[in-house]
Each structure stands twice: as structure tokens, then as C-alpha cells.
Amino acid sequence: MAEAAALTLPMPSALPERLRALAAQPAVVRARPAILAVVAVLAALGLWWGLQSPDWRPLYGELSDGDKAAVLTALEAGNYNARVDPATGAIQVAAGDVAAARILLAGQGLPKSARGLDPVGDMPLGLSRAVEAARLKSATEVELASSIEAIDGVKRATLHIALPEPSVFVRDKAPPSASVFVTLAPGRVLGEAQVRAIVWLVSSSVPGLAPDKVSVVDQTGALLSAGTGEQVQLGYQVKVEAMVRERLMKLLTPLVGAGRFTAEVAADVDFSQSEATSERLQPGVLKTESAARAIDTSPPPARGIPGALSNTAPAAAQLSATPPAAPPAPAPPPSVTNETTNRAWELGRDVSVTRGGTPRLKRLSVAVVIDRAALAKATPADLAQIARIVRGAIGFDAARGDLVEVQLRGFAAEPAAPRAWYQTPVVEKTAPWAALGLGVALVLAVALLLFRRRRRAAALVALAAAGGEGVD
């Protein structure tokens, strides 16, 4: 039995012959192209998988150079594959190692510059009020900086708040101020609305801080919060000109067609501020009246020189038969009357204050040039009608000195852009036929290759069959 089993085992020298015979089978020969294609695809996938770099993920966003060195050392000691991104400078690890790497670094107290401040929980007992105020101000700065960094385009932000010392004297009080230093991402610029949002965010978070006391500066040293002055005036003027130009575009495009006219607008805006105060007095009105009257009936005091009559002899007496008449009644003693009258008049007063700080349009100049080809049959009357339409669209005011000019001119033809070689007429005409011929040639080549392989496989099968018959 052992000898029979040994006879049934294939010999090592016969194994290649059986593989050749198996490869020469018609089914295997027909499936050989598909097998080769599958093997090639698997080999390409294996090569791509082996050459592909791991999916790098940032571990922390922004770290100092000292923390980066400490973090890299700790990751290398923990057998983590880490690198520094050459574009952003952030430390990156494989996507599957982010959580484990952060846990490892947190156990070692890294990174040390990570922002995390609890101004209440970290304060020990017994702190002075000055130290407590400084800690709270620092916490406010850190929290506001974190909020500013959440704005799109801001890479890093630093906030400085200047709070004046409290004083009991009103004249010594100074308003608080703040400055924001932002580091923008490469290629990013903060818009006017974003800068205004940063200013209002800081001013509304600090008590008593006015928006005009907040300054925003970027890494290039440019003052972004210059919201008043020439920039605002120029922006207002540009907006007025753009609004008028848009009206003209909407009005003239349906009449003459797009690209058949051009319009330019120049607005002269007066930004001067004036303040006038007027005061007017109204006729008086009697408000109060009081009168007082006093009468004094006491005899008048003696007058003259005391003792002047004592040295004068009395008059001689005269006797008569008839008795003298009765003396007249004495006159009433003189009286003194005092009268006092007080009248209070109230004067009316009107005070009006006029401030002219709103921008005022002084003059508007508009020039419209229409392509002569668009209005080839237009008459002067038609051109005058178009000018009236333009005046109505821009709000023409002759008293203001506005100027509108509409003219017909011939537009120069735009030079044709150079075409690429594949856009030439010859290539565009022959490309479909060339592609068709290439496709037919490719199909014929594949069919010829398959035919030749099939003939070769049939020849091999016939040769193998002939060899088997000879052996038998």
C-alpha cells in the first residue's frame, strides 16, 4: 500500500509540465488577458498603498517654538510618527493617533502655552484687589482674543485693554481704551464689516469703552479700524457713483444692448460739517405784580431853631366892644403816604442748534458714449430723448450744476484673442475624423491581437494532442 501511495504522488520534475499543460488549456488561454489585467490592477493598488503617505491631522493649532520642541520630543519617545507642517508650522500626526497623542501629552502637562484660564478657580485666598483686578483683566483679554480668532480669516489675535485708575475727581477721569493685534491667514483680508464687528465686540465687553477708543492692527502694521476720515468719505463717494452707474446700466442695456455703450459718473460730495446756533427773544409777558401802600398820620416833628421865640416880645393887646369871632377849626395834621409796586416781566427765548454733518451731493457729472453702430438710424431728436431719459434716471438738478453729456461715437473692434492649436479650424474639422480613425485602428489592433493569441493557443492545443497520441 505504501508503494502504491508513493507511486500516486507527483514527482517534482513533473509539476512544471502539469502547470504548462494547465496553462495550455483553452479556457485558461481565453481567460489569460483578464487574469493579467487583474494581476496588474492588484499590483498597482499595492504599489499605490505602499507609496501613499498617512493621513496627517494637526494636533494643536498654534504653539510656541518651545512647546513644539517639547511636544515632538514627547511624541518620539512615545513611538508616534509626527511631523511639522511646512506650510502652517503645526505639529501633525496620523489621523488614527490624534486622540492617543493628546492623552499622552496631557499626562505630561504639554503643551504649556495652551490657553486655559479660570480666573475665579485659580485665585488663591488673600489676593489684593490690585492683583485680582489684573487677573480678571487678563482673563477678559484672553477670552475676547479667543472669540476674535473664531472669525474667518483671523489666525491669531492679541488684545490689550487699558483701564484707568479710579479717581474721586471728575476732571481726572480718563476713558478706557483697547487695542487688538490680529495675525491674518495667508492671502486673507478682513472686510470693513468684520473690522467693525471686532470693534463692537470689544467695546461692548468692557464697561465704559467707546467704539472710537478701540484700534485694530494687522501683522503688516496697517490700522484697520480707521473708520473715520478719508476712507469713509471715499467709500461713500464710490457708493454714490456705483449706484448711479448701475441705474444707467439697467436703463440703457435694453435700449442699445449690452457692451454697446459706456457710462462714467463723477460725484462731488461735500463732507464739511457746520453748526449754527440762533437765539430769539420773544415779547415780555407779565409774570407777577405786587403793590404796597403805607399812610403815616403822626404829627410832623418840630422844626426851626429851638429858643428862637423866647426872646421876642408879645404883641400889644387890643380891646374891642364886640367879642372876637370863634377861631376856625384846626386843620387836620398832615399825613405821609408811601406806595411801592413790584412787577416781574418774563422774556421768552428760543434757542435752535443746526448741525450739518450729513454728506451733501454738490454736483453730479455723467458722460455716456453710445456705439454709433447700435444707433445707426438715430436722429438728433432720438439722441435728445436718450439724454432726457438719462437726466431723469440720475436725478438731474440744474440748480445744483449737474452735467450730462450723451454722444454717439464709433467703438474700436476688440482684437481677437489668439487661439490655441487645438482651436484652429483645421484641427476642429479633422479632429472628429481623426478620433474615429484612431478608435477603429485600436479596435482592429485588439481584434488582431486576440485572433493571433487564439490561433497560437489552438496550435499549442493541437501540438499537445499530437504529442499525447504519439506517446500512447
Side-chain angles (χ1 to χ4, degrees):
M1 297 293 296
E3 293 178 357
L7 292 175
T8 57
L9 292 176
M11 297 300 292
S13 59
L15 187 59
E17 295 179 358
R18 291 196 174 187
L19 290 177
R20 292 191 186 97
L22 180 61
Q25 294 293 330
V28 176
V29 172
R30 287 194 298 269
R32 188 180 298 172
I35 295 173
L36 292 177
V38 171
V39 172
V41 170
L42 292 177
L45 290 176
L47 182 62
W48 175 78
W49 183 264
L51 296 178
Q52 186 183 17
S53 61
D55 186 12
W56 297 102
R57 296 293 178 85
L59 194 60
Y60 293 102
E62 191 73 19
L63 296 176
S64 62
D65 294 339
D67 282 342
K68 289 180 182 179
V71 168
L72 286 176
T73 303
L75 292 177
E76 291 176 357
N79 296 326
Y80 285 98
N81 189 13
R83 71 163 190 173
V84 178
D85 188 4
T88 61
I91 297 179
Q92 296 180 343
V93 296
D97 298 336
V98 174
R102 288 179 178 175
I103 293 174
L104 174 66
L105 295 175
Q108 301 180 10
L110 295 175
K112 296 181 180 180
S113 64
R115 288 181 175 176
L117 179 62
D118 185 6
V120 178
D122 295 342
M123 285 186 182
L125 296 177
L127 282 180
S128 62
R129 299 200 58 174
V131 176
E132 180 181 355
R135 293 283 298 272
L136 292 175
K137 184 173 76 70
S138 178
T140 303
E141 293 174 350
V142 171
E143 293 297 331
L144 285 175
S146 301
S147 300
I148 295 173
E149 288 178 357
I151 298 176
D152 187 20
V154 178
K155 183 179 179 182
R156 187 174 179 82
T158 305
L159 180 64
H160 305 281
I161 301 176
L163 298 176
E165 294 293 335
S167 176
V168 296
F169 300 101
V170 177
R171 67 180 62 182
D172 294 337
K173 288 185 178 180
S177 60
S179 59
V180 183
F181 182 81
V182 293
T183 302
L184 303 179
R188 302 301 297 272
V189 178
L190 287 181
E192 182 181 354
Q194 291 177 314
V195 175
R196 188 164 57 250
I198 292 175
V199 171
W200 282 100
L201 174 65
V202 176
S203 63
S204 60
S205 302
V206 179
L209 180 58
D212 57 350
K213 295 295 182 180
V214 181
S215 58
V216 182
V217 183
D218 62 359
Q219 72 270 26
T220 62
L223 183 62
L224 305 179
S225 59
T228 59
E230 297 182 358
Q231 292 186 358
V232 174
Q233 296 177 3
L234 181 60
Y236 182 82
Q237 182 177 353
V238 170
K239 287 182 180 178
V240 171
E241 294 175 352
M243 180 183 63
V244 176
R245 191 180 297 108
E246 185 179 359
R247 290 181 181 177
L248 294 176
M249 291 294 179
K250 292 182 179 179
L251 180 66
L252 297 178
T253 299
L255 295 177
V256 299
R260 309 303 296 269
F261 70 94
T262 179
E264 291 297 332
V265 181
D268 187 6
V269 184
D270 184 12
F271 295 97
S272 60
Q273 297 182 0
S274 61
E275 182 175 351
T277 305
S278 62
E279 183 176 355
R280 184 180 60 181
L281 298 178
Q282 296 179 354
V285 178
L286 182 61
K287 183 178 181 182
T288 58
E289 181 179 4
S290 62
R293 184 177 183 182
I295 300 176
D296 188 5
T297 58
S298 60
R303 297 180 180 180
I305 300 175
L309 296 178
S310 61
N311 298 325
T312 302
Q318 295 179 1
L319 299 176
S320 61
T322 59
S335 61
V336 180
T337 304
N338 294 326
E339 292 185 1
T340 303
T341 303
N342 295 325
R343 293 185 178 90
W345 299 85
E346 183 179 7
L347 297 178
R349 185 177 63 174
D350 292 339
V351 179
S352 61
V353 179
T354 304
R355 293 182 176 89
T358 305
R360 183 176 62 87
L361 184 61
K362 295 175 59 178
R363 185 180 179 183
L364 192 63
S365 301
V366 178
V368 179
V369 180
I370 303 175
D371 189 5
R372 193 185 301 274
L375 299 176
K377 299 181 180 180
T379 61
D382 297 336
L383 192 61
Q385 291 180 0
I386 294 177
R388 286 196 298 270
I389 293 174
V390 172
R391 291 190 184 96
I394 67 173
F396 180 82
D397 188 359
R400 195 170 54 192
D402 293 350
L403 177 63
V404 175
E405 187 69 24
V406 180
Q407 294 186 4
L408 293 178
R409 289 291 184 269
F411 284 14
E414 296 183 358
R419 291 186 176 184
W421 63 269
Y422 53 84
Q423 294 180 345
T424 57
V426 177
V427 176
E428 290 180 353
K429 291 181 180 180
T430 58
W433 298 103
L436 180 60
L438 184 59
V440 172
L442 183 60
V443 171
L444 292 177
V446 173
L448 181 60
L449 180 61
L450 294 178
F451 179 72
R452 292 183 61 183
R453 287 186 177 181
R454 184 167 298 179
R455 286 187 58 186
R456 185 178 177 183
L460 291 176
V461 171
L463 182 60
E469 292 178 356
V471 172
D472 293 338

